[in-house]
Amino acid sequence: FLSNCVVGASLEEITEEEEEEDENKPTLLEASSAKLKEGTFQIVGTLSTPESHWPNFAVETYSAISREDLLMRLLECDVIVYNITESHQQVEEAIWAVSALNEEVSHFEKRKVFILVSTVMTWARSRPLDPDDTEVPFTEEEYRRRRNHPNFLDHINAEKMVLKFGKNAKKFATYVVAAGLQYGVEGGILHTFFKIAWLGEVPALPVFGDGTNVIPAIHVLDLAGVIQNIIDHVPKLHYLVAVDESVQTLEDIVKCISKNTGPGKVQKLPKENAFLTKDLT
Ligand SMILES: *[C@@H]1O[C@H](CO)[C@@H](O)[C@H](O)[C@H]1NC(C)=O
């Protein structure tokens, strides 16, 4: 997505009609194609595994690289994005990276932007703002009151660390994006439900628990758009929640997948059964 975005493009105001046919916005096809437009972001990055193939949007990729060498590469970048949403291993590296960069701040020739893509799971146990009215919504400004799901303690600690190092925003601006469940482009947790649907081995798709829980979600390309906007705008607010505006429950989502790609039916199963589904991490 970013390799097709011209740096600063999101600063140009677009009217709503223009947005509908916005030609600068990369389509799904373009987002994965190699051709480089002039003035677009140049992407370098580490491969998720040494065996992964070189994605054609990247100018350079690294694998099995020492921390010392990695820091040299990071120092060459204007923007650093760490995606810790689905990988505990990346949490540790992200904390190291933001700390190591922070120590080098005095040598930065121009401002660097560090973006941590985290997850709304760091909000999962937040208490309602008003105990008598559980419908009062949280806003991003109240991020200090968030409470993490117990499995996401490392993630919330990484978030705090990243924000702490962003005090000198003129030289080193740091951001945390708490993303909803990511879907689209074959990735994400919903993949499991699509897979069950197309395998066609069960008469109904499983809904774990009563299914009334609202699932904050975001299409991965929209999340990429959020990241593009942060890079271009360097906003004042350093903690952002990135979720679709739609309010869908687990049951809504599974029903929709079942209706459109599967057997059409859903079946409620005890919550614990989710642990028996190997694909669901
Ligand atoms: C973050 O990583 C997860 C797991 O590797 C992946 O599914 C997701 O698409 C990534 N998101 C972004 C915005 O890079």
Side-chain angles (χ1 to χ4, degrees):
F1 181 94
L2 287 175
S3 71
N4 273 288
C5 292
V6 174
V7 177
S10 74
L11 295 171
E12 283 159 32
E13 276 191 46
I14 37 173
T15 61
E16 270 183 33
E17 289 121 66
E18 272 172 349
E19 188 164 25
E20 305 230 311
E21 53 201 294
D22 183 5
E23 282 162 16
N24 294 322
K25 210 170 168 184
T27 61
L28 197 55
L29 202 71
E30 282 172 351
S32 60
S33 82
K35 62 170 191 297
L36 286 179
K37 274 190 276 178
E38 203 156 327
T40 56
F41 289 99
Q42 294 198 4
I43 314 295
V44 300
T46 48
L47 297 171
S48 26
T49 63
E51 309 83 60
S52 321
H53 67 101
W54 180 326
N56 54 14
F57 58 79
V59 179
E60 273 181 58
T61 59
Y62 319 109
S63 65
I65 169 177
S66 71
R67 287 269 156 107
E68 201 183 0
D69 289 341
L70 182 53
L71 181 58
M72 297 314 286
R73 302 282 90 82
L74 292 173
L75 287 168
E76 288 166 9
C77 298
D78 296 328
V79 180
I80 295 107
V81 182
Y82 263 90
N83 172 11
I84 62 168
T85 48
E86 283 169 40
S87 160
H88 270 266
Q89 220 180 319
Q90 284 293 289
V91 177
E92 194 264 328
E93 190 180 305
I95 293 177
W96 164 79
V98 76
S99 318
L101 284 165
N102 186 60
E103 286 189 13
E104 301 291 330
V105 160
S106 58
H107 307 302
F108 289 1
E109 276 162 25
K110 59 187 272 208
R111 171 167 57 198
K112 290 192 191 301
V113 174
F114 186 101
I115 302 172
L116 184 76
V117 182
S118 184
T119 153
V120 287
M121 293 306 283
T122 60
W123 290 68
R125 294 283 165 91
S126 305
R127 304 222 172 88
L129 292 176
D130 178 353
D132 299 323
D133 183 359
T134 54
E135 299 292 303
V136 179
F138 272 103
T139 64
E140 300 166 311
E141 284 87 350
E142 282 148 334
Y143 71 86
R144 285 184 190 82
R145 302 178 62 162
R146 73 197 184 290
R147 290 281 171 81
N148 58 293
H149 180 283
N151 290 355
F152 289 79
L153 182 63
D154 291 343
H155 287 72
I156 199 168
N157 286 338
E159 291 182 359
K160 289 176 184 166
M161 195 81 119
V162 166
L163 294 174
K164 190 180 94 182
F165 287 131
K167 292 287 185 289
N168 184 0
K170 284 212 171 68
K171 299 234 56 192
F172 192 35
T174 62
Y175 292 92
V176 172
V177 181
L181 276 192
Q182 294 162 57
Y183 63 91
V185 201
E186 295 178 15
I189 209 165
L190 296 184
H191 176 75
T192 307
F193 294 98
F194 282 108
K195 191 169 158 188
I196 300 173
W198 59 251
L199 283 177
E201 288 165 355
V202 289
L205 292 198
V207 173
F208 301 109
D210 67 7
T212 56
N213 50 318
V214 171
I215 308 284
I218 186 166
H219 192 285
V220 71
L221 289 183
D222 290 331
L223 179 56
V226 171
I227 294 168
Q228 177 202 8
N229 270 273
I230 294 175
I231 298 169
D232 286 344
H233 290 256
V234 199
K236 283 232 167 63
L237 198 60
H238 290 258
Y239 195 106
L240 295 116
V241 176
V243 293
D244 287 344
E245 276 173 11
S246 60
V247 179
Q248 315 274 12
T249 64
L250 178 61
E251 184 174 19
D252 295 336
I253 295 172
V254 178
K255 262 191 180 156
C256 181
I257 296 173
S258 184
K259 190 170 144 226
N260 291 292
T261 67
K265 287 192 191 129
V266 302
Q267 177 190 18
K268 293 203 176 148
L269 296 174
K271 209 164 60 186
E272 291 68 28
N273 283 32
F275 296 112
L276 304 174
T277 308
K278 253 199 276 138
D279 276 349
L280 286 175
T281 56

